[in-house]
Amino acid sequence: MLVLNLIEALTNALDVSMAADSSIIVYGEDVGFEGGVFRATKGLQAKYGVDRCFDSILAESSIVGSGIGMAINGLKPVVEIQFSGFVFPAINQIVTHAARMRNRSRGLYTVPMVIRMPYGGGVRALEHHSESLEAIFAHTAGLKVVIPSTPYDAKGLMMAAINDPDPVIFMEPKRIYRAFKQEVPEGIYEIPIGKAKIVKPGDDLTVVAWGSMLRDVQKAVEILEKEGHSIELIDLRTISPIDRETIITSVQKTGRFAVVHEAARSFGPGAELISIVNEGAFLHLEAPPTRITSVDTIVPLPKGEHHYVPSVEGIVAELRAVLTF
Amino acid sequence: MFIEKFDPLKDDMIQILDPSGKIVDTANMPALSEAKMIKMYQTMRESRIIDEKTLQYQRQGRMLTYAPNLGQEATQVGSASALRQTDWVAPSFRELGVWLTKGAPLDKIFLYWFGNEEGMKMSEDIRILPVSVPIASQLQHATGLAYAAKYRKLDDVAVGYVGDGGTSQGDFHEALNFAAVNALPNVFIIQNNQFAISTRRALQTKAPNLAAKALAYGMPGVIVDGNDIFAVYAVVSEAVERARRGEGPTLIECYTYRMGAHTTSDDPTVYREEMEVDPWRGKDPIDRMYKYLVAEGLWSEEQEDAFVRETADRVKQTFETVEKSGFTPLEDIFDYVYAERTPILEAQYQSRKAFYEKEGK
């Protein structure tokens, strides 16, 4: 067993995968020589050579667009978008091509590639460095969207993403890149894409979260459980394809539902989750399903960020309202 | 040999076969077998017959929107004839001559334009990516195809096609830049047909010509008479061999003219006068090669009549078969979103299916 933080687990996942499969190519801005601005690809160029881990040109559309061609021609590219807020120049390639090539060619050409991107706030960064864009990708047919919340999951989900036959948007919670360490197996293992994880079982309320918010929700749950409530906490792990079954089964048991996310509120992932709950567990509900989210403003610069993202205290207050409805 | 010595800033244009059908540059006439020359001619002729018939079918309400290739046959057939079968093509949407040259079956081509994605499922050895509508985006894929070929130590070349309007896109710049930085085995072919729908080439760039843009990427840029199939073939062959040897990408501007509309949804009489189009009729790529072949004794009026008649019949029969293909099966729209249907797609499929069954459809 290794003891790694989340970003070390990702580096290890890439390392172990590249050692096992010479078709895996890793690149992006500053990814090669430096190992990426967060060091996710540290040491890979030295170990695997400049053909397999390299600095791209500074052009996001090229990073994704060239990856599509590589994937069609037998490689498995794992590319990095330096921050998710910089992905917009590549959106055309992601949405109009990566997501559609299989359908457009009726399965003749496919795009097994991973598009990594650190997402979310909490690192006191400049504008465009703090976005949570999972809803945009999850709304696009043909993409899978994965967000790990622990080092163990990060490695297992990354290996599943690399071996997935379709394009995977792999969003990394950069706020917790180095927040804590965990035991991580040395070798190859996969965590299936499309399966949520019940972090802890409970009877009174189902709470769904993912990525960096999961840690804050765990703290909120601990506070509420000391008050005598029993809460089932689910880590969604995959935003798309979403695990309806785990959520519906849980809410049918608990009768109450809340989703917590860092993404903006309106048309966000919480809206989809509440629809799932309404479709699958409406007659079991004892309180209105609730979303606890960031607000619908532009993501503020660091001095205003605390107004934007749900706090532990805010999560506690809103969950308590659902529990006592 | 053209590429090393060509200076796009001088605004020259390479020509071997002039509009009257005469060879004006004997020294650089490519060594093509008679059989290959005739095949190239027939493919251009076939492309035009398909275009003309498809435009009729569209006007009769039997075909959807279609982008004809009229006038650009030499650019397409000449360039694709310089490839070997394992070389890749990343097309835009106006490359019928390329598809035909690469061996794509006409029923598949028709099926796609008839409104069914199944038409883009060619056999693997055709090696053309599906039609790409977002302008210039396909050039990025060409770079990745080339990177993978190089990495896998295959000496395949990847050719990307784009129009004159496409040179304004960021993807054009990014693709050429990435290919040059990494010395990728790419050839980028601009079909400069003078129009992006209605917008003229002069409104796309202040550069003296489109090939000159290559200089900024550190790659050679060449301008060729796009209505001269021998010149196109010669220059593309040289660029392909250069790429295959590991000497990097080339940008080739094929100077041609879009004789027809942008698509069947477009009316070019709104933005250009007949007196502008007319001189280009005298530069027609097919007439030009026809005159050459007849003068050389390789083709005759009788052969022409027979070929046109037989091809027109075959095209008609092929279209009529495709026309009977009906609607896309429900399964097809669900089965290629992912390698396997997700639970949600399965539920949506079952829901649609149950509805149809209930309605007796």
Side-chain angles (χ1 to χ4, degrees), chain B residues 312-333:
Chain B
D313 283 349
R314 184 169 55 79
V315 170
K316 179 171 176 284
Q317 283 165 20
T318 305
F319 181 73
E320 285 171 355
T321 308
V322 169
E323 211 175 11
K324 294 189 191 98
S325 63
F327 288 104
T328 304
L330 180 65
E331 290 75 14
D332 281 15
I333 76 159

Side-chain angles (χ1 to χ4, degrees), chain A residues 22 51-52 54 59 61-62 65-66 69-70 73 93 97 102-104 106 108-109 142-143 165-166 242 244, chain B residues 117 120-122 124 128 131-132 137 140-141 143-145 147-149 151-152 171 174 336-339 344:
Chain A
S22 65
D51 291 345
R52 294 193 64 192
F54 65 92
S61 184
S62 162
S66 60
M70 290 183 203
N73 199 7
Q93 289 291 342
H97 289 303
R102 176 188 293 282
N103 183 69
R104 183 184 295 144
R106 284 293 185 255
L108 174 61
Y109 297 123
L143 300 178
D166 289 299
I242 199 164
R244 290 170 65 94
Chain B
E117 293 88 342
M120 282 292 113
K121 188 176 190 173
M122 302 277 166
E124 275 180 49
I128 309 188
V131 165
S132 173
S137 58
Q140 306 270 29
H141 310 157
T143 69
L145 293 167
Y147 190 99
Y151 175 80
R152 294 170 63 197
D171 275 357
E174 291 188 18
Y336 301 97
V337 186
Y338 301 98
I344 286 173

Side-chain angles (χ1 to χ4, degrees), chain B residues 28-262:
Chain B
N28 285 306
M29 175 67 185
L32 288 159
S33 70
E34 290 178 8
K36 180 147 181 170
M37 266 196 255
I38 290 167
K39 181 75 189 160
M40 287 162 72
Y41 174 75
Q42 289 176 334
T43 307
M44 286 203 291
R45 203 78 195 76
E46 182 189 8
S47 172
R48 182 156 302 178
I49 291 165
I50 294 166
D51 270 349
E52 287 169 349
K53 292 193 89 64
T54 307
L55 291 171
Q56 285 173 12
Y57 299 142
Q58 199 278 338
R59 281 194 287 269
Q60 292 163 356
R62 297 160 69 190
M63 190 53 146
L64 303 178
T65 302
Y66 179 71
N69 310 268
L70 302 167
Q72 298 174 224
E73 294 88 351
T75 290
Q76 299 182 10
V77 175
S79 58
S81 295
L83 308 181
R84 67 181 190 199
Q85 196 57 47
T86 55
D87 289 334
W88 287 91
V89 169
S92 64
F93 50 84
R94 198 192 302 287
E95 281 86 16
L96 175 64
V98 177
W99 288 94
L100 295 172
T101 307
K102 273 286 224 165
L106 181 58
D107 59 341
K108 287 284 193 179
I109 296 169
F110 269 148
L111 187 60
Y112 173 76
W113 292 99
F114 193 65
N116 190 333
E117 293 88 342
E118 186 68 24
M120 282 292 113
K121 188 176 190 173
M122 302 277 166
S123 89
E124 275 180 49
D125 58 12
I126 303 289
R127 293 236 166 156
I128 309 188
L129 300 189
V131 165
S132 173
V133 177
I135 303 300
S137 58
Q138 67 280 358
L139 300 183
Q140 306 270 29
H141 310 157
T143 69
L145 293 167
Y147 190 99
K150 188 178 176 185
Y151 175 80
R152 294 170 63 197
K153 303 204 180 348
L154 305 167
D155 64 351
D156 298 328
V157 171
V159 180
Y161 287 83
V162 69
D164 43 308
T167 64
S168 293
Q169 288 277 358
D171 275 357
F172 173 86
H173 159 69
E174 291 188 18
L176 268 66
N177 194 32
F178 182 70
V181 166
N182 293 286
L184 297 179
N186 279 123
V187 178
F188 299 104
I189 296 175
I190 304 169
Q191 296 198 68
N192 176 6
N193 67 12
Q194 315 299 333
F195 289 95
I197 305 188
S198 69
T199 305
R200 287 167 186 275
R201 139 73 183 87
L203 296 177
Q204 300 293 346
T205 178
K206 281 294 277 181
N209 55 64
L210 304 174
K213 289 168 179 268
L215 300 177
Y217 305 109
M219 74 170 80
V222 186
I223 308 168
V224 57
D225 179 349
N227 287 11
D228 169 356
I229 194 164
F230 294 141
V232 173
Y233 177 86
V235 171
V236 175
S237 295
E238 191 185 339
V240 165
E241 291 317 312
R242 197 176 162 274
R244 222 186 287 296
R245 287 194 304 269
E247 293 168 26
T250 305
L251 177 65
I252 300 170
E253 174 182 356
C254 295
Y255 196 86
T256 181
Y257 195 83
R258 198 191 72 210
M259 298 302 287
H262 163 68

